[in-house]
Amino acid sequence: MSAVTILENGDIIALEHSRGVLRFHAMWLRDNAWDETTRATSNGQRLIALRDIPGDTRVSAAELSNAHTLRLTFEPEGKTIDFDTDWLLAHAYDRSDARVKGWVADTTELWDSGLRNHVPVADMTALQQDEATLRTWLGDIARLGFGKLVGGPIHDGALFDVVDLFGYVRETNYGRKFEVRTEVNPTNLAFTGLGLQAHTDNPYRDPVPTVQVLYCLESSAAGGENMVVDGFRAAHRLREENQRYFDLLSTYCARFDYAGEAGVRLRSRRPMIELSPDGELIGIRFNNRSMAAAVDVPFEDMKDWYAAYRRLGEIIDDTDMEVTFRLEPGEAFIVDNTRVLHARKAYSGTGTRWLQGCYADMDGLNSRLSALEAQHAAQGASAR
Ligand code: FE2
């Protein structure tokens, strides 16, 4: 940081640094002050509301008091506050790069079948005992939306140990956990475990459960492999192929419903490809079994909307997109259910397959990951 300039009568300041000039508004700076009358020193929460800051706030004096401190005086409060310039650089918003619809965070890594040789896997005991292993594994799940676990215990409810690593079970009408149990009987095709198209779970909920854990307890049947597909990669592929298809599926809402048991009627109205208001790709809902009649697509666009839906399904079904693996007893996988689709291949032969599943949420996982990373950074800093 080499220089600071006051612009527009103190409405704006400009910081010059090695990457160029970054502008900040006086109001933004004042609201983001970290002095002890603005923020509680104990928990960092803001002590004042915007109404406590004068609407005509401006900067009357600005100086770089050292390499890492910007000292600003705000009027009409007559208040002088120090800002950490590293914090300002990390939170700068003065950029001109236009974001295209469907953008994803820099920390998100899209993948296809090429991930099969690099699936993030960790051992249960190591995850429970070693924070570095847990931090790496959770980081992989946050980045890729998917991870595998091996070496877990084999008993009813063992999947809760997985959730305990990062968060809390999301209980639903299916209970705290649900059974995925198939007896394969080749004499009766009705009992054959049919394959399922890749899907996200429970799109009829709003909000959807954002994490699913599937844990294997028995696996003596041939087949029944699990498969995952990166829904964000599929959405990007659709956009690369046909922008209009992407726009149709991200603009118009689909409807999903579930009324499979007495006393339950779940319904949602969301697009298959969900974008935030500023275009970030934030969710995929794809589940043929619970799609309801689409009534929010204009008549003129319905034909193309169906063509787009079909094409997205073809991309999801493309083997170039899938990572397939087999879960053995004591093994589990975890998916970000807002992003990664999962499927089960058909069973064959004889034997049984018993999995248990449960839901949890990405906010808990991201929180645990951030806390571990902050702790690791602090340890690194104290060791230097
Ligand atoms: Fe599922």
Side-chain angles (χ1 to χ4, degrees):
M1 209 71 62
S2 53
V4 57
T5 316
I6 297 176
L7 305 172
E8 312 259 338
N9 292 324
D11 200 27
I12 294 168
I13 63 125
L15 274 183
E16 209 176 295
H17 72 106
S18 55
R19 295 201 311 251
V21 176
L22 293 173
R23 293 166 301 170
F24 297 87
H25 291 90
M27 186 60 73
W28 184 95
L29 289 159
R30 176 64 191 89
D31 190 39
N32 288 294
W34 279 88
D35 66 294
E36 61 189 16
T37 60
T38 305
R39 294 271 191 168
T41 47
S42 56
N43 57 28
Q45 292 204 303
R46 191 180 272 99
L47 297 164
I48 60 171
L50 187 59
R51 66 186 179 196
D52 299 316
I53 300 173
D56 57 351
T57 286
R58 64 189 192 282
V59 172
S60 60
E63 63 162 330
L64 288 159
S65 52
N66 65 49
H68 296 284
T69 308
L70 172 67
R71 178 162 293 173
L72 299 176
T73 301
F74 293 90
E75 302 297 348
E77 289 178 278
K79 193 173 173 63
T80 298
I81 304 169
D82 284 346
F83 290 80
D84 180 340
T85 52
D86 291 337
W87 187 91
L88 288 175
L89 276 182
H91 293 83
Y93 57 89
D94 188 5
R95 57 175 171 262
S96 54
D97 51 325
R99 288 162 154 173
V100 295
K101 262 196 213 172
W103 62 274
V104 296
D106 294 342
T107 47
T108 297
E109 186 182 324
L110 306 185
W111 48 267
D112 54 23
S113 60
L115 183 72
R116 65 182 175 276
N117 299 321
H118 316 279
V119 169
V121 183
D123 176 79
M124 183 64 165
T125 308
L127 287 167
Q128 287 171 324
Q129 296 178 356
D130 178 40
E131 287 195 342
T133 303
L134 181 60
R135 192 179 66 239
T136 303
W137 187 67
L138 294 179
D140 287 340
I141 295 170
R143 190 165 47 87
L144 302 166
F146 161 63
K148 223 185 125 185
L149 175 145
V150 297
I154 302 165
H155 62 79
D156 180 16
L159 77 175
F160 296 137
D161 294 352
V162 182
V163 178
D164 284 344
L165 293 167
F166 62 82
Y168 305 91
V169 169
R170 162 105 75 105
E171 194 167 343
T172 69
N173 54 297
Y174 302 125
R176 263 173 70 72
K177 63 176 163 62
F178 48 89
E179 306 292 331
V180 188
R181 192 161 198 163
T182 310
E183 307 279 337
V184 180
N185 177 355
T187 64
N188 186 336
L189 288 178
F191 296 140
T192 301
L194 296 172
L196 296 173
Q197 188 183 26
H199 59 276
T200 61
D201 262 30
N202 292 201
Y204 40 77
R205 291 184 205 283
D206 197 356
V208 296
T210 52
V211 165
Q212 182 178 190
V213 176
L214 270 176
Y215 198 102
C216 181
L217 292 172
E218 274 178 27
S219 180
S220 62
E225 288 90 356
N226 289 99
M227 186 260 267
V228 287
V229 172
D230 184 357
F232 283 8
R233 175 71 193 103
H236 273 210
R237 218 179 115 180
L238 183 71
R239 188 182 64 179
E240 287 156 17
E241 286 181 15
N242 191 320
Q243 181 73 46
R244 175 161 161 75
Y245 281 2
F246 178 87
D247 290 342
L248 285 165
L249 295 188
S250 58
T251 300
Y252 296 125
C253 284
R255 294 203 181 205
F256 301 92
D257 67 19
Y258 174 82
E261 61 188 275
V264 178
R265 288 203 73 87
L266 291 159
R267 289 177 176 145
S268 75
R269 195 184 82 85
R270 289 286 168 137
M272 275 187 241
I273 298 173
E274 188 171 5
L275 306 179
S276 68
D278 63 351
E280 182 183 9
L281 178 53
I282 55 172
I284 299 293
R285 290 183 195 226
F286 192 88
N287 191 321
N288 63 301
R289 285 167 293 145
S290 53
M291 274 274 285
V295 294
D296 301 287
V297 183
F299 182 86
E300 297 72 33
D301 287 328
M302 187 61 89
K303 188 177 174 190
D304 287 354
W305 186 84
Y306 259 99
Y309 171 26
R310 177 178 298 275
R311 185 60 198 145
L312 179 62
E314 287 168 353
I315 291 171
I316 285 166
D317 290 341
D318 183 347
T319 52
D320 285 348
M321 300 291 287
E322 71 180 46
V323 170
T324 302
F325 53 91
R326 187 180 167 78
L327 287 185
E328 300 300 336
E331 298 183 352
F333 76 91
I334 169 170
V335 286
D336 175 346
N337 188 50
T338 66
R339 170 181 169 188
V340 171
L341 301 91
H342 62 277
R344 183 193 70 200
K345 304 235 166 183
Y347 299 100
S348 57
T350 56
T352 61
R353 188 150 166 82
W354 180 23
L355 283 82
Q356 290 185 325
C358 73
Y359 300 116
D361 280 301
M362 282 302 289
D363 65 341
L365 189 151
N366 286 323
S367 165
R368 182 88 173 104
L369 172 61
S370 295
L372 287 168
E373 284 175 340
Q375 194 181 319
H376 180 62
Q379 283 163 356
S382 66
R384 276 196 291 274

